[in-house]
Amino acid sequence: MEVPAELAAGEESSALPAAAALPSESQPTPAKPVQITVVTAQELKTIKGDVSATLVRVEYNGAILGDSSKTDVLPDGTANYNFMTSFECNPDGPNSLADVAQKPVLLTVIEVLQKEKKQKEKTVPLGQAVVDLLPLLQGQCSFKVSAPLYAVPPSPLESLHPEAKGGLEVTVCTEEPLLSAAQLSNGNLLSVTLEAAYSVPEAFLPSGPPHNYMACLQVPAAGEKEFPLLFKNGILKLAGEKEPFPRPKKWSLANIMAPGALNIPESFIVGGPYEDEDGELNKREDREFRIQAESMKRIVWDMEKRCYLDPAAVVTLQKRITQCQYWPVEVCRMTVAPASKGKTSEADKGDEDKQIFFHGVAYINMEPLLCPGVKQIRGAFRVFTYQDNKVFEKTKCQHSVFRDLRTQLHLTKEGPWTPGISTSLSKAFPSKTQKEDKEKITKDKDSNRRMSSVPKIRLSDASLEAENITNLSLEEQPYVEAGTFLMMEIKLDKALVPRRLREDLTRRVEQMIPPRPPLPPRTDGAKKAVEDYHNRVTSIAVSILSECRELFGKQLPDGGATDPQTLEEQKRQLNFELNKSGKYFAFKEQLKYAVVKIVREKYQKTTAFETQEEFQAFLSELYVYLMDQMHVALNQLLFEEAALPVPVLRMTEEQLWLFAREAEVNKDYELASVYHQKRLDQDQRNIQHWLDYGAFRLLLEETTKAQECFRQALSLDPHHIQSLLLCGVVAVMLQHYAEAEIFFESACCLEPSSIVAWTLSAPSPVSGLSRLPCTIFMKTVEFLMKFNAIQFVHMALAHELLSFQGGPSCAYYLALARTCLLKEDFSKCQECLREAVRIDPVNPNVWAQKGHLCYLKRDFGEAKECYERTISFVEDAADVHFVYLRLGSIYLEEKEFGRAKQTYLLACKNSASCLTWLGVGIACYRLEEMVDAEDALTEANTLNNTNAEVWGYLALICLQGGRQREAEQCYKYTLKLGLRNDSLLREIHAAQQRFGFGNPAF
């Protein structure tokens, strides 16, 4: 394809204000020399066998830096140049940091032919190489490369092989780094790769006048400036084989004679599954269309553009993405007129023959770059007809980038247009080229379909322009009709939002479990039952001895013995007293449960007897055994050794508070109440315990009980500000306004600087209240949300709404969303979170709340994405514990057990509880890590021995290990605690059958 003269100079010409668009620093920075040394050339003989002498030419940014002296080529194909040259990198002028980012040094090895008599020496380009200067923007002051030397295609008369290549050894150095420490740390490098446009319109044909296929997007720089990235000279390819993967990315250089030198070293387009892309055509139903389109007619660029962003530009980039997540990428086809011979006419000077056709736009969703750790977007993006009003609505861009660049591209002025019709305003009627394009489109359509005539365009008729753009039919939108899409990649050197750096988690679970005092050794079920019988017999014996002492005294008769008659009389009297008082019956009841356990555990009898004789025989055997064991217990009574005390696990108040919060979030209010009461049992004089319990009662809308808790807290300290305020809050809820006024006024008097006290004490709905700083209401909301005073939260948010200056804040929408979530008003909550994300997309609390909303709506896929983003932020969300719990449960549900284990371990490290260790245990069990699973479940059982699911998984682990009796005990506790997980019960039964344990207890 013939390239127009104004484009042949290379698209990096100084006409485009690329370098000036990106300021480097606020203060002028002196130019810094970049020194380039070409040391040697190697394997020149592989390019041309008879080469004898060469020189090397060094070019940068369209300028020749110098030629080396002529050097002989040694027999082994090497040439020693040792040629040194340099250019100055000037941040505020030519050869800027932006140029260093995207423009390589071009090296041309030139063969010097032997001169004939009375003739000058002739030179012929032999090969070309490029050196990427990117390391200079990565903190290096010097580097050395072996740049491949690609052969320049010869004339048809020569027999060189274009694929043959040698190498150049080159060093690049600077006296000091091009970037300061602040620039290196806070700056960034943006690269955009335009791969291809697929499924292009039928009108794109290789015949006819030459065309230049172009695309462009603008990258925000510091301030209000924008940096245009222009891709030109796309190659139109007809149907055939797909583009290979991987394939090299290419430089956007026009003065390259060796095609191989266009390849960027070590930079490739690698492709990947459609489902992993970020674009619009990544669904399963798009797969067949993509496969067909990639082997049909297409336009290929495979070109990478880079842009250095200084720290101010990075901030601007993030701000722009926050303001509008969609960015436009414009595409077009420009008609290229053949070069005219002779003088240039006035008409030629006006560039009337260069027209823009098929002006389209793709919308790139840049929002993923605000996710923590995300540095790249790659995917397919649909192309639509460019319409100013649609583009502005979607991207907030007010005008076309091609319109901005038409001076540099020497384009004619643009006006209203129709696809296939020139945007030139100098002609009112279609040109010959336009008519040819229309005819080509028409031939590909059904014979009954006809293109509508093109109206004459008038500059002064703005309404006609709007009508033409708005009323475009499908026939007039060739990109939409053809299903055209761009394959693009946008990549950053560093993520805009840093990702949390987590140290490696310990593989072994037991190393994360805190040390516990040793428990007494476990006993089998039968042994434990006999021990319980012994203990019960001993206890009853001690009670009877106490009765004897009360009845007959502690002293024995003289001689130390009692006659048999006296003993018999005392026995009758003891029996009478025990029966009369009911103690005999109580002793029998105490002994009954121990006997039942012996029958079940020792004799394994759980079914009815078949005959009366069998029943009598069993009773006789049991009676003998019980009497023997009773004598054993009584004989040991006087010689019993003190048993080791069972260690008592005392939970801290922080643990009890966490467990109570877990139960509240899971809506297990009965369990939450137990933990709150345990907290109070540990320390009833702790004010915070009473306040937290009162907040729990407010959550249940039990205002009277909450009032009792808050007043109890106030009784412990009449000057406690929070207690006074909360007593006032519940007084208002109960419509005790006089009492509320006393509480609020007392709080204000005791702490005159308390914003919350003055805000709550101010009458509402007060005229000057709305003039107070809006932050006081959000501080008050924070206090009220902590204690579940939802009614007052809405009142404070209403005042915040009245006092806005510049619109509601993210904190406002987040607080309102939390109240809606508590009331299960999901639609209103979703609206609030949408606004919160728009205002502050890098706030972890916003994404956590959005995840909770999706989780409660059972949209687990969306919830997982939100939770993963939440835990990726460097800063923790306020309720990150529940984010870990719910994300871990989603991973378990999706059978991602490895990720579930890691997530639950993070929760254990952050704030361990029964639920976090249960999650670890389940994940380890599914991963068949039985030792870790048992350790984790044992720790969960230590923190809460009333969780039926913990006992259920312990039963499974015992079955796996062949420990039948322990499995039975765990299973009994599972049933006793009322396990509601039917699938776990079925799994236990299946395991019991699989391992051949037929005990009826299962």
Side-chain angles (χ1 to χ4, degrees):
M1 183 171 66
E2 188 174 352
V3 181
E6 63 269 21
L7 299 180
E11 34 190 285
E12 325 309 335
S13 71
S14 58
L16 289 177
L22 285 176
S24 59
E25 287 188 318
S26 57
Q27 297 296 328
T29 305
K32 299 178 182 179
V34 178
Q35 181 178 294
I36 301 161
T37 303
V38 183
V39 184
T40 60
Q42 295 149 355
E43 301 183 18
L44 293 179
K45 296 288 187 180
T46 63
I47 298 179
K48 188 177 180 181
D50 59 351
V51 62
S52 59
T54 60
L55 61 85
V56 64
R57 174 171 294 166
V58 182
E59 301 176 57
Y60 184 71
N61 199 11
I64 297 177
L65 302 182
D67 292 350
S68 72
S69 60
K70 183 176 71 172
T71 303
D72 292 333
V73 178
L74 300 177
D76 61 357
T78 62
N80 297 317
Y81 299 113
N82 292 319
F83 173 63
M84 183 185 303
T85 186
S86 65
F87 69 89
E88 288 192 339
C89 176
N90 190 345
D92 301 316
N95 302 334
S96 68
L97 294 175
D99 294 322
V100 174
Q102 64 178 334
K103 299 177 184 178
V105 175
L106 178 61
L107 307 169
T108 306
V109 175
I110 300 174
E111 181 184 9
V112 182
L113 302 176
Q114 292 183 351
K115 64 179 179 179
E116 298 179 3
K117 293 181 180 181
K118 298 182 181 180
Q119 290 185 352
K120 294 182 178 180
E121 280 185 333
K122 291 184 179 179
T123 58
V124 176
L126 187 66
Q128 286 186 316
V130 292
V131 175
D132 193 354
L133 299 179
L134 187 61
L136 296 180
L137 298 180
Q138 296 172 332
Q140 297 188 35
C141 289
S142 65
F143 62 92
K144 183 177 181 180
V145 295
S146 295
L149 182 66
Y150 296 92
V152 173
S155 66
L157 298 178
E158 297 178 282
S159 59
L160 301 184
H161 299 286
E163 297 299 323
K165 62 181 180 181
L168 283 178
E169 186 177 309
V170 184
T171 61
V172 179
C173 64
T174 60
E175 293 181 357
E176 56 180 308
L178 295 186
L179 300 180
S180 66
Q183 286 177 312
L184 188 62
S185 175
N186 301 320
N188 213 326
L189 188 75
L190 174 69
S191 64
V192 179
T193 302
L194 179 60
E195 299 178 19
Y198 294 101
S199 191
V200 297
E202 291 293 331
F204 288 6
L205 297 174
S207 59
H211 297 97
N212 191 338
Y213 298 96
M214 301 191 296
C216 191
L217 76 158
Q218 301 212 89
V219 178
E224 297 300 321
K225 296 180 180 180
E226 293 196 337
F227 178 54
L229 296 180
L230 180 63
F231 300 84
K232 297 193 286 190
N233 302 327
I235 300 172
L236 179 64
K237 293 187 178 182
L238 300 180
E241 293 186 1
K242 297 172 59 175
E243 299 297 316
F245 290 111
R247 61 183 188 272
K249 297 180 180 180
K250 299 184 182 300
W251 298 105
S252 57
L253 300 175
N255 53 343
I256 291 285
M257 294 177 285
L262 281 173
N263 298 339
I264 301 176
E266 305 300 326
S267 186
F268 299 93
I269 298 170
V270 296
Y274 301 139
E275 295 79 7
D276 295 340
E277 294 177 356
D278 303 292
E280 301 163 350
L281 297 169
N282 53 4
K283 304 296 188 296
R284 184 173 298 176
E285 55 268 23
D286 302 318
R287 183 178 181 83
E288 185 176 352
F289 168 69
R290 290 279 299 272
I291 292 174
Q292 293 178 355
E294 288 171 1
S295 60
M296 302 299 290
K297 184 166 54 176
R298 57 201 179 273
I299 301 170
V300 178
W301 286 273
D302 286 347
M303 191 179 297
E304 181 183 74
K305 288 276 198 173
R306 298 171 181 164
C307 173
Y308 169 70
L309 303 176
D310 69 2
V314 172
V315 174
T316 302
L317 175 65
Q318 185 167 340
K319 179 181 177 182
R320 295 282 180 87
I321 298 176
T322 301
Q323 292 172 343
C324 187
Q325 68 186 81
Y326 290 101
W327 285 14
V329 177
E330 297 181 43
V331 294
C332 73
R333 187 182 78 174
M334 187 180 78
T335 303
V336 179
S340 59
K341 295 182 180 180
K343 273 191 173 182
T344 304
S345 66
E346 292 296 325
D348 292 333
K349 289 180 180 178
D351 291 320
E352 293 293 330
D353 290 326
K354 287 183 283 294
Q355 313 287 347
I356 291 182
F357 296 90
F358 296 96
H359 193 179
V361 62
Y363 301 106
I364 312 298
N365 183 7
M366 302 285 283
E367 195 270 340
L369 291 180
L370 295 184
C371 298
V374 174
K375 298 188 289 187
Q376 176 178 315
I377 297 173
R378 181 184 180 272
F381 302 92
R382 296 184 183 275
V383 181
F384 303 90
T385 300
Y386 189 96
Q387 302 176 44
D388 283 338
N389 59 339
K390 295 292 185 183
V391 174
F392 177 75
E393 178 184 346
K394 189 87 170 176
T395 69
K396 303 299 184 290
C397 291
Q398 298 183 356
H399 45 76
S400 164
V401 64
F402 286 128
R403 187 176 305 151
D404 293 341
L405 296 178
R406 65 168 167 256
T407 303
Q408 289 79 22
L409 296 173
H410 302 286
L411 303 180
T412 55
K413 295 181 179 179
E414 289 190 80
W417 67 283
T418 306
I421 305 302
S422 169
T423 58
S424 172
L425 295 177
S426 61
K427 297 183 179 180
F429 296 96
S431 66
K432 179 180 178 181
T433 304
Q434 298 163 0
K435 292 178 181 178
E436 290 175 355
D437 282 335
K438 287 184 63 177
E439 290 173 0
K440 292 170 186 173
I441 295 175
T442 306
K443 288 179 182 177
D444 293 329
K445 307 297 179 185
D446 190 83
S447 59
N448 294 326
R449 299 169 65 187
R450 292 293 181 266
M451 296 290 288
S452 59
S453 60
V454 181
K456 186 172 181 179
I457 299 174
R458 294 174 293 176
L459 280 172
S460 60
D461 194 350
S463 61
L464 176 61
E465 176 181 351
E467 183 179 355
N468 287 341
I469 293 176
T470 305
N471 297 329
L472 290 176
S473 65
L474 186 60
E475 290 185 5
E476 295 168 327
Q477 301 191 50
Y479 290 124
V480 176
E481 185 179 13
T484 306
F485 61 92
L486 294 179
M487 280 300 301
M488 292 190 66
E489 177 192 75
I490 298 176
K491 188 175 181 180
L492 289 165
D493 189 50
K494 294 179 289 190
L496 291 178
V497 181
R499 188 179 184 89
R500 178 195 303 272
L501 295 177
R502 288 281 187 185
E503 60 271 21
D504 293 335
L505 288 171
T506 314
R507 190 189 68 83
R508 293 287 294 177
V509 172
E510 64 181 9
Q511 296 178 1
M512 290 189 63
I513 298 175
R516 305 286 187 195
L519 292 171
R522 294 179 179 178
T523 56
D524 292 339
K527 185 177 179 182
K528 181 66 166 57
V530 173
E531 288 179 354
D532 288 346
Y533 176 73
H534 287 178
N535 293 335
R536 188 60 58 193
V537 169
T538 300
S539 174
I540 294 173
V542 170
S543 298
I544 293 175
L545 286 174
S546 298
E547 290 289 326
C548 290
R549 290 191 181 99
E550 291 182 4
L551 289 175
F552 312 117
K554 298 180 181 179
Q555 299 297 326
L556 292 175
D558 294 337
T562 305
D563 61 277
Q565 184 177 356
T566 303
L567 285 176
E568 190 65 27
E569 180 61 29
Q570 289 179 346
K571 179 180 177 182
R572 284 196 299 269
Q573 187 177 351
L574 176 64
N575 285 333
F576 174 77
E577 292 295 334
L578 290 176
N579 281 287
K580 185 179 74 169
S581 63
K583 291 180 180 180
Y584 180 78
F585 177 77
F587 291 155
K588 284 176 57 179
E589 289 298 314
Q590 290 178 26
L591 209 55
K592 183 193 299 183
Y593 181 68
V595 172
V596 169
K597 286 181 65 177
I598 286 179
V599 172
R600 289 180 176 175
E601 303 294 340
K602 172 70 178 177
Y603 289 91
Q604 297 288 300
K605 259 329 252 187
T606 56
T607 58
F609 293 93
E610 295 181 358
T611 64
Q612 186 67 22
E613 290 77 8
E614 183 181 354
F615 176 53
Q616 290 298 331
F618 173 75
L619 287 180
S620 299
E621 181 183 355
L622 176 63
Y623 178 78
V624 172
Y625 179 79
L626 291 176
M627 293 302 294
D628 290 342
Q629 293 300 319
M630 181 184 69
H631 290 131
V632 171
L634 293 175
N635 289 334
Q636 290 178 344
L637 180 59
L638 297 177
F639 307 99
E640 181 179 13
E641 296 182 359
L644 291 174
V646 177
V648 178
L649 176 65
R650 179 180 175 86
M651 296 181 187
T652 65
E653 63 175 72
E654 291 80 10
Q655 285 180 308
L656 291 172
W657 166 238
L658 174 65
F659 301 163
R661 284 286 296 132
E662 281 183 342
E664 289 176 22
V665 171
N666 294 332
K667 299 188 183 302
D668 190 349
Y669 298 128
E670 183 178 350
L671 182 60
S673 180
V674 169
Y675 283 123
H676 278 297
Q677 290 174 8
K678 282 186 177 180
R679 205 160 170 240
L680 285 170
D681 291 341
Q682 284 192 1
D683 186 1
Q684 293 195 9
R685 299 197 59 80
N686 189 308
I687 294 177
Q688 193 60 46
H689 294 181
W690 287 106
L691 295 185
D692 292 337
Y693 192 37
F696 169 67
R697 289 302 174 185
L698 275 185
L699 179 65
L700 302 182
E701 298 183 350
E702 298 175 354
T703 311
T704 304
K705 291 186 178 180
Q707 183 185 45
E708 294 175 3
C709 296
F710 296 148
R711 290 194 173 188
Q712 182 65 31
L714 190 60
S715 69
L716 296 173
D717 182 2
H719 297 159
H720 192 256
I721 302 299
Q722 286 190 346
S723 301
L724 283 167
L725 294 176
L726 290 170
C727 284
V729 167
V730 293
V732 172
M733 292 180 177
L734 296 172
Q735 300 182 2
H736 302 162
Y737 299 114
E739 290 183 13
E741 186 175 356
I742 295 173
F743 288 127
F744 289 143
E745 287 183 1
S746 299
C748 292
C749 292
L750 288 170
E751 193 171 331
S753 62
S754 172
I755 291 176
V756 177
W758 283 107
T759 305
L760 288 176
S761 64
S764 60
V766 168
S767 59
L769 191 59
S770 61
R771 295 194 297 270
L772 294 174
C774 63
T775 54
I776 67 170
F777 299 113
M778 295 312 300
K779 287 182 178 293
T780 306
V781 165
E782 182 181 350
F783 168 78
L784 295 170
M785 284 298 299
K786 179 181 178 181
F787 295 101
N788 299 316
I790 306 303
Q791 178 181 341
F792 267 70
V793 169
H794 284 289
M795 293 170 62
L797 288 176
H799 284 301
E800 174 78 354
L801 192 61
L802 291 174
S803 64
F804 283 141
Q805 295 179 356
S809 64
C810 176
Y812 169 84
Y813 284 116
L814 185 57
L816 188 57
R818 290 175 62 190
T819 63
C820 294
L821 201 61
L822 285 174
K823 297 295 184 181
E824 297 188 355
D825 187 351
F826 294 151
S827 60
K828 180 65 174 177
C829 180
Q830 188 167 2
E831 293 175 9
C832 295
L833 290 175
R834 189 183 300 118
E835 291 300 313
V837 169
R838 180 186 60 81
I839 296 171
D840 188 1
V842 294
N843 187 331
N845 292 309
V846 174
W847 291 104
Q849 288 302 314
K850 187 175 181 182
H852 295 331
L853 171 64
C854 297
Y855 188 89
L856 294 177
K857 291 171 62 179
R858 305 192 67 77
D859 184 358
F860 297 126
E862 182 71 17
K864 181 172 76 169
E865 293 181 8
C866 294
Y867 287 149
E868 287 175 339
R869 178 178 292 200
T870 302
I871 65 175
S872 297
F873 286 104
V874 174
E875 181 185 355
D876 272 337
D879 57 350
V880 69
H881 180 79
F882 303 102
V883 172
Y884 284 137
L885 285 179
R886 287 176 168 173
L887 179 58
S889 70
I890 293 173
Y891 284 146
L892 287 179
E893 188 67 25
E894 296 181 351
K895 294 181 171 54
E896 297 183 54
F897 303 125
R899 300 181 75 177
K901 176 183 175 181
Q902 297 303 314
T903 302
Y904 279 118
L905 281 175
L906 287 173
C908 291
K909 191 169 186 178
N910 187 62
S911 47
S913 70
C914 172
L915 296 183
T916 60
W917 282 114
L918 171 60
V920 175
I922 296 173
C924 291
Y925 177 78
R926 300 303 178 195
L927 292 169
E928 299 183 356
E929 300 172 359
M930 296 302 170
V931 175
D932 282 352
E934 185 167 5
D935 287 342
L937 291 168
T938 302
E939 182 67 12
N941 191 269
T942 301
L943 294 174
N944 179 11
N945 63 359
T946 62
N947 188 302
E949 201 163 352
V950 173
W951 287 108
Y953 277 100
L954 283 172
L956 280 175
I957 289 174
C958 293
L959 287 172
Q960 291 275 5
R963 294 140 56 189
Q964 181 184 6
R965 293 194 180 279
E966 291 180 59
E968 289 180 14
Q969 294 297 322
C970 293
Y971 178 73
K972 289 175 182 177
Y973 278 112
T974 301
L975 296 182
K976 180 179 179 181
L977 294 169
L979 179 66
R980 299 177 183 177
N981 189 336
D982 294 336
S983 62
L984 179 57
L985 278 175
R986 289 193 296 270
E987 189 174 1
I988 295 173
H989 294 159
Q992 180 261 336
Q993 294 295 330
R994 186 167 66 251
F995 293 108
F997 298 146
N999 193 300
F1002 285 95

